[in-house]
Each structure stands twice: as structure tokens, then as C-alpha cells.
Amino acid sequence: MSGAEKIAVRVTDITPLNELVTRFRFEPVNGGLLPTFSGGAHTVVEMRDGDITRMNPYSLMSDPFDRSAYTISVRRDDEGRGGSKFMHTRVKVGDEMIVSNPVNLFSLDLRAKKHLMIAGGIGITPFLAQIKQLDRAHGNWELHYACRSEALGSYVDYLTTTHPNDVSVYYDDQGQAIDLDSLLDGQPLGTHIYVCGPKGMIEWVRGKAAEMGWPREAVHYEEFLAPQPGKPFEVKLAISNKVIQVGEQESLLEAIERAGVDAPYLCRGGACGQCETNVVQAEGEILHRDHWLEDDEKASDTKIMPCVSRFEGKTLVLDR
Amino acid sequence: MSIQFHKETFRGDYSFHNSERAIKRFPFPFDKDSYMYAVNMEQHRGGPADSIYEKRFDVDEHYISEMDDRAMVLADDPLRCQSLPHMTLAGWDLLELIMVSKSEDYPDLFELHRNGDQWRWINKPLGIDDSFTFMDETTLPYGPMEYITRQTQGDFCVLDQRDDNLWMDAGMVTTQADWSLDFDIGMNFFEWHAPVPLAHEKGIFVRALKFLLNIQQGAPARRLNWTMTVNPLLDTSPENYHKWGIQKTTLTPENIAAKQHLRVELQTFFRLPRSNALVFPIRCYLCAFQDLMTVPKWGRRLHRVIRDLPVELATYKGFIDNRPMMLDYLSQFDDGQPTSLGIWPDLDTEPPLKSA
């Protein structure tokens, strides 16, 4: 069961920001209002590509209180399975698409006295919505944003113009880096840290914060994994009594859906736990790629997160 | 169907009563002849016409009197309504959810007119017509959660979601089955459920929490829970146990039919969009044994459920001492015939009681 009704939207604007990132604006097809959301929420965008339906999560970056449209920014990933490439090359203004109700797995902790945001690259997008939400409530926040270069610094101009005193930008190619030690050292009590960016950055911030004695509950992070392509494999679904083939460019979850079996999901990025599926039998190796299962659960091969994980071997039977 | 609101009391002379319509739509909580805890969740997206599932927030003939009773409880004990400072945004979410739902579901009773953030709310049964600025607390006579829950039947727990847990950080709780908001405020899901027997061992709460954390915007859920109450008391709080606890000893074979009530909670769960909090409305429905026994299926089934309930549950629900008297009464309505599955009365298909 996949939850709430989907929302039919029309693409009303496509704005390339730089070589890699393009922004898309969606308005409801029926002309009504979209559900409001909270800063940090994402929507799952369905992409119909011939027989294949890809569903990728993207952070909502527009003003959460603006119900006339949602906007997302998509970074092209040439190594990926083609979802972002589809958005960049196939989607045109005027197209109808399907998006999910907003889901927030990267919510602001509203108890925080101050919100310290650390972004890397395309990880800037959830913060754009959170900043709009906090500004409306006169919240105290500060953003540190690392980009590869000025040319790839999406929304740098907007952020530094509208919030010159609250935003610091760091360019890798100019040898600039966030001075994390002093940044984390001088914060007022009750500060919460939010980090969104590449895996390395998230681990760096979490590790440093832990080392400096920050409470675990005060450090928030979001890393969506894009499902990686891999060798095709076969799966038996025990409950629905079907044998399905998972193609090189599709995820196990997508293959289950393609077979007409309704499977739960929320984030499709290995983070939320909703699609957790019991493994009945596995002769071979499960390639666990999620953030959800504990290490011992991964080692036992009794569970799999079909949104991002794959299988190599002889037989895989799932309780689905 | 327009609702005839009763003028009645849930204290003192206990003039509360259910009309025939209210009995037919009573949420009988047992779908089979036995009961054990389960994560019995389903989507809350309407239900049979005129059932308590049909609307997002059910309004019934007890509405005005229940709101009067709530006002009396709050006057005596303001700690029944609390909201930690970070929960104000969730309070606005809740106000919006209820105003939009009620004005759409009961347009003859409630109206909401919105022009940007200038809102006008009309509540005809309670005679309220207020204009205010959405998200500006200074324009309402109470905080947003208190304002709207003084006008909505049922208790409300507003749960903050963080650290993969839910936190009881705000609520309006005046019709509760023996638990205290003032005691539970700030607790997490496992802490406030700690007193419940058997369910922890069955892993119920781990699974339930996982389900609740994933409740999405636009996809509310619901379940039923139940207990027993002597006299139609809405306020069976620990704070007032000295007033109502003793009433359990007044039950006799002569008065049990009228005095003993099955108390059912319709629990619903909605994701709140701006705050990402979860609201957990707990709506209490009361029905006297003698009214329940007018439905043959419910008579048969209630006897079997109460008879076979584990001692721990009968103790936790507070009726272990009165169980033998209940069974003496209920057994008259169990002729041993089979019952149909599901909670509905099935009056047209289930056979009448065979007299012994």
C-alpha cells in the first residue's frame, strides 16, 4: 500500500541554473491548491519513460506556505539509472506529471534555539524551504554552504543577496572549506545542526559533532541514496506467487511494482524503513545499500530494503 | 440528516442518553467473539453513510453538551490543556485541519471563509462567529489548539515527531480513560504506554510506532479502543479518581443494565503539514448495556468477549471486580448462536435472541 493519493501536476517552468542543475516548477492540473508542507519535505516524482516508471524523491525547495506551486531542483547524474537525465532531457514545459503528497524525513526541530545548517552541493534544496519557514516565524538560523565552484553554486546569489549576514559560502576549487571545529565550538546552547550533502560531508559533521560532545538528538541529516544500477537478477515473490526479473537499470522496488504487486514505500532512498521486506530464502549475496537496517540485520540476510538494495546469486525469495 | 442536539449531563444526575439512531451507529469495537491487542489500524477515509467513520471529525447529538462538560473540566483544572512552546505551529495546523474538515463535511453547521490569512469561522451549534488572522495568536481568545478543541468532541494529543519517536508535547484531554496529560506531558511513545499490560511483550508498540511515524499527509488512519465505565462519565481522569472510582462499587444486578456503559474510543491519526507533528484525536462514545442489548449480535458477542478476556486486561481496564456481575447480566443475551464477522449490527441478517 502506497499511502495517500497522488497529485497530478503540470510543468509550468524549467530553469537551467548551471551545467548540472535545473529547476522545475509544478502547478496542479486541476487549478486548485497543493497541500502545504514543512521545510525539509520531499515529493516523489513519477517519470513515465516508455514501459518504465521511475520514481525519484526530490526535496521541495519552494516556500512551504505557497500552495500555488512546488519547485524542485534536479542535479543531472550521468552515472545513475537515468531518472535525473530523464528530467533534464525529456521533460518539457506543459507536460503533465504525477507527484506524491509531501513527506518530511528531515524536519526542523522546533525546540531549537538556533538552527545551524550545513549544505553541500545539491543538498542546499531542503534548506531553501526551511529558511522560508523560519523567516516567517522569525527563527534564528545560519547557513554554511559548500560548492564545487562559483559556476556550480546553485542559489548562491539568491542566498547571499537576501540573507547576507546569515549565509557563508565555500568554494572547493578556491581551497575554501568550512572550519567545522570553530563553527561547532561557538554555538549557543540549544543549537541544532542540520546537514544535507554528500555522504562524506554528513559523516564528517556527525563525527565531529559526536567527538565534541553534541547530543545525538541535536544533529539531523538527510542523505537520499539514488538506487544504483547493477546486474539483472531474478526474484520470487512468495505471497503473490510471482517470479520477476529486475533489470540492470531498475530497482527491485520498481520491478515489484511493475509486476502489479503493491509494496509500501515513502522515501525510495533507503532512509525511511517503510519498504522493509522479509527475506524468505537467499542463496547468494544481498547487496545492502540502505541506511535503515542495522548491521546485524544486514549480516543475517533476513531483511532487504528493495528501494536501493540488490541481489547477486542463485535464488532470492521475498515475503511479498 | 440534521442533528437534534441533546441538553444533557455527564455528571450529577447523568441525564446523558443515546437516541435510537445513536445506538445504531455506536462503534461496537469487537469484530469477532474474542479480543486481544493488535495493531488494528486502517485508513481513515470515510465509511458507511451515517456511521461514525463517515466524516473526518464526527459531530453527533451530544456535541453541545460535551463541549459544556469540557468547559467545566477546564474551569476546575486548567492543566487538562497544555502545549509546550514549540507546539504552537502544530496548534495552527490542527485548527486549520478541523475548520476545513468540519466546514466541508457539515456545511449546514460550520462555515469557514478565508481571504488570505484573514479567516472567519462560524460555528452555528455553539453560536460562535469569530474573525481572526491565521497564525496570529493575538487575534484569538485562546491559543489555536485550545480554541478549536473547545469546539470539537474528543480528546486531542498533539505529538511532536523527532528522533524516530513521538512525544506528547501538547494536548486537550478532558474525556480520558484514566490517564493524565499533566503526568504524560513531554513523554515519548514508549514512556506513556508503559503501564499497558501484555502489549509490550507482543511487540505491539514497536510496530505501532513504526506505523505512526510513517503516517503521511493526506492518508489519515484510525482504530478503535475500549474500556468500561460505570455511569456515563466523560471525565474519568486520575485527577478525579476519588470522585468516580468509588462509583464502580454502586453497581447492582438491578441497576447494571442502565448504569454500566461500554466506552469506546475512535482513535484517529493525521499528519499535520506545517509542523510535521501528528495529531491523535481520541473520541469517546458511551453506550449503556441495556441499549447495546437491543442489537442481538452485540448481546451475544459482548458476553463472550468479557467472559474470555484475560485477567490482566480486565484488571487494567478496571472492571475485574464487577466482571461476575456483568457476566450474570450479559449471559441472558447469549443464546449460543453464531455471530457474523465484523463490528456492524447486521440487524437485518442476524437472528433475534432465542428465549431459553
Side-chain angles (χ1 to χ4, degrees):
Chain A
M1 237 288 318
S2 6
E5 281 93 11
K6 304 292 180 62
I7 305 166
V9 292
R10 191 182 311 286
V11 180
T12 57
D13 185 57
I14 300 178
T15 306
L17 294 174
N18 53 46
E19 197 187 315
L20 290 179
V21 179
T22 297
R23 182 174 64 226
F24 297 83
R25 179 182 170 89
F26 302 123
E27 293 180 31
V29 165
N30 65 13
L33 293 173
L34 292 163
T36 183
F37 63 94
S38 47
H42 69 264
T43 184
V44 174
V45 179
E46 293 192 18
M47 292 165 246
R48 304 262 162 81
D49 184 5
D51 294 343
I52 302 172
T53 299
R54 289 196 191 83
M55 295 195 240
N56 283 9
Y58 293 104
S59 294
L60 293 164
M61 50 165 285
S62 40
D63 183 345
F65 285 53
D66 176 5
R67 298 178 58 192
S68 63
Y70 288 160
T71 57
I72 62 169
S73 288
V74 179
R75 182 186 186 281
R76 203 180 71 231
D77 178 2
D78 294 326
E79 309 295 305
R81 303 167 316 126
S84 64
K85 215 186 281 178
F86 179 89
M87 290 298 293
H88 275 249
T89 58
R90 304 275 296 280
V91 174
K92 305 282 176 254
V93 170
D95 285 1
E96 279 188 29
M97 298 189 82
I98 301 290
V99 303
S100 74
N101 262 273
V103 173
N104 200 341
L105 303 172
F106 189 51
S107 187
L108 291 168
D109 190 323
L110 296 174
R111 297 171 308 161
K113 303 288 183 236
K114 177 179 172 185
H115 306 271
L116 177 63
M117 303 167 174
I118 301 174
I122 194 66
I124 189 64
T125 51
F127 294 123
L128 293 165
Q130 291 184 338
I131 287 170
K132 294 233 168 65
Q133 180 178 337
L134 286 171
D135 279 348
R136 185 171 265 105
H138 308 290
N140 182 9
W141 61 271
E142 177 180 317
L143 170 72
H144 296 263
Y145 177 21
C147 326
R148 248 196 263 171
S149 64
E150 280 187 44
L152 291 175
S154 310
Y155 304 109
V156 164
D157 288 347
Y158 162 77
L159 286 163
T160 51
T161 311
T162 51
H163 299 92
N165 300 321
D166 302 312
V167 176
S168 306
V169 181
Y170 308 79
Y171 295 114
D172 294 350
D173 68 345
Q174 297 176 28
Q176 300 168 342
I178 299 171
D179 180 0
L180 200 55
D181 285 270
S182 44
L183 182 63
L184 299 193
D185 194 24
Q187 296 301 327
L189 296 175
T191 301
H192 280 241
I193 301 171
Y194 304 83
V195 53
C196 185
K199 194 181 175 69
M201 175 184 237
I202 292 172
E203 285 173 4
W204 177 53
V205 174
R206 292 179 66 204
K208 181 65 74 183
E211 192 184 298
M212 293 174 68
W214 281 70
R216 186 183 51 81
E217 298 79 12
V219 183
H220 311 267
Y221 58 96
E222 177 160 68
E223 182 199 4
F224 280 144
L225 303 167
Q228 296 301 309
K231 289 181 199 157
F233 59 100
E234 185 177 279
V235 185
K236 183 165 187 225
L237 305 178
I239 295 176
S240 34
N241 196 23
K242 286 183 176 174
V243 176
I244 61 168
Q245 308 296 327
V246 183
E248 191 180 328
Q249 294 294 332
E250 72 181 337
S251 71
L252 171 54
L253 178 60
E254 287 164 352
I256 292 172
E257 289 168 341
R258 187 165 50 78
V261 177
D262 193 18
Y265 70 86
L266 277 185
C267 78
R268 305 183 80 89
C272 75
Q274 183 77 351
C275 71
E276 183 182 295
T277 304
N278 290 324
V279 174
V280 180
Q281 191 193 348
E283 281 179 55
E285 190 191 356
I286 297 180
L287 308 172
H288 293 287
R289 287 171 174 161
D290 58 278
H291 295 313
W292 173 256
L293 296 174
E294 303 293 340
D295 287 345
D296 57 334
E297 289 176 315
K298 287 181 181 172
S300 73
D301 276 354
T302 55
K303 287 175 176 172
I304 186 170
M305 309 306 293
C307 62
V308 291
S309 298
R310 303 183 70 88
F311 176 76
E312 281 180 10
K314 201 171 148 213
T315 316
L316 178 66
V317 184
L318 299 181
D319 187 24
R320 185 66 79 197
Chain B
M1 179 179 195
S2 75
I3 304 168
Q4 300 296 314
F5 296 109
H6 294 187
K7 191 73 194 153
E8 61 193 0
T9 55
F10 301 87
R11 52 180 75 203
D13 63 352
Y14 298 113
S15 63
F16 163 88
H17 61 286
N18 282 308
S19 68
E20 197 171 320
R21 171 179 175 242
I23 297 168
K24 297 281 182 302
R25 71 197 298 278
F26 183 76
F28 188 76
F30 307 112
D31 62 350
K32 53 182 185 295
D33 287 352
S34 62
Y35 175 80
M36 183 30 83
Y37 289 123
V39 185
N40 51 337
M41 299 276 193
E42 61 178 6
Q43 296 274 318
H44 183 42
R45 312 267 199 109
D50 198 39
S51 74
I52 59 138
Y53 288 150
E54 188 185 11
K55 313 292 192 191
R56 285 165 281 187
F57 296 91
D58 184 44
V59 175
D60 69 7
E61 63 197 26
H62 309 298
Y63 177 47
I64 296 175
S65 295
E66 285 191 27
M67 294 301 97
D68 288 346
D69 194 74
R70 164 156 294 162
M72 284 187 259
V73 173
L74 290 171
D76 287 345
D77 184 358
L79 294 176
R80 302 300 188 85
C81 177
Q82 299 191 42
S83 177
L84 298 183
H86 61 284
M87 299 302 284
T88 305
L89 183 62
W92 285 110
D93 270 333
L94 179 62
L95 175 143
E96 179 183 39
L97 174 68
I98 293 176
M99 287 187 179
V100 169
S101 301
K102 280 191 167 178
S103 60
E104 288 175 357
D105 292 350
Y106 299 93
D108 53 331
L109 301 179
F110 304 96
E111 291 176 24
L112 177 63
H113 304 280
R114 288 182 283 185
N115 179 13
D117 57 8
Q118 298 304 305
W119 292 24
R120 181 178 174 205
W121 167 247
I122 301 172
N123 178 335
K124 292 180 189 166
L126 296 184
I128 292 169
D129 183 344
D130 282 336
S131 294
F132 62 97
T133 306
F134 185 68
M135 301 280 281
D136 180 352
E137 276 184 89
T138 63
T139 60
L140 279 177
Y142 307 97
M145 179 192 73
E146 181 180 349
Y147 178 78
I148 197 59
T149 57
R150 279 177 179 269
Q151 302 178 41
T152 309
Q153 288 166 279
D155 285 344
F156 289 83
C157 304
V158 188
L159 312 176
D160 196 21
Q161 178 158 336
R162 53 177 200 269
D163 313 329
D164 294 325
N165 213 324
L166 294 167
W167 304 80
M168 182 81 71
D169 285 350
M172 167 69 89
V173 180
T174 66
T175 67
Q176 68 268 50
D178 204 6
W179 69 278
S180 164
L181 175 71
D182 190 41
F183 185 78
D184 286 359
I185 192 93
M187 286 190 185
N188 72 33
F189 189 78
F190 297 112
E191 291 166 347
W192 83 69
H193 281 119
V196 183
L198 300 182
H200 292 272
E201 293 84 333
K202 290 168 146 321
I204 296 282
F205 290 121
V206 173
R207 267 180 289 152
L209 176 63
K210 212 166 179 172
F211 179 90
L212 295 175
L213 290 172
N214 281 324
I215 284 189
Q216 294 179 64
Q217 257 177 262
R222 68 185 173 216
R223 68 184 286 261
L224 295 176
N225 196 10
W226 67 278
T227 189
M228 292 286 177
T229 304
V230 173
N231 290 329
L233 280 153
L234 283 177
D235 175 20
T236 50
S237 59
E239 286 89 341
N240 281 330
Y241 188 80
H242 59 289
K243 295 180 192 161
W244 61 267
I246 194 161
Q247 297 180 25
K248 292 197 273 184
T249 65
T250 64
L251 213 58
T252 66
E254 291 70 40
N255 67 23
I256 188 170
K259 245 183 185 330
Q260 180 64 56
H261 289 70
L262 178 60
R263 181 189 195 98
V264 177
E265 293 174 351
L266 170 61
Q267 306 182 341
T268 51
F269 304 88
F270 297 81
R271 175 69 55 202
L272 297 176
R274 293 180 171 80
S275 57
N276 203 38
L278 195 72
V279 66
F280 173 28
I282 308 167
R283 171 67 179 279
C284 169
Y285 294 86
L286 294 162
C287 191
F289 270 19
Q290 63 190 12
D291 290 338
L292 286 170
M293 295 304 112
T294 62
V295 177
K297 172 178 165 180
W298 292 352
R300 293 180 180 107
R301 180 164 292 169
L302 189 60
H303 173 248
R304 295 167 198 178
V305 169
I306 300 304
R307 181 190 63 201
D308 300 338
L309 195 72
V311 170
E312 295 95 324
L313 291 192
T315 306
Y316 174 67
K317 290 179 185 290
F319 63 88
I320 188 77
D321 291 345
N322 285 334
R323 175 150 77 169
M325 204 192 302
M326 288 181 186
L327 290 175
D328 281 346
Y329 172 76
L330 292 171
S331 62
Q332 310 167 61
F333 301 92
D334 185 0
D335 55 13
Q337 296 199 65
T339 53
S340 57
L341 279 177
I343 65 172
W344 307 106
D346 298 335
L347 283 167
D348 296 336
T349 48
E350 287 292 277
L353 182 71
K354 246 192 275 178
S355 42

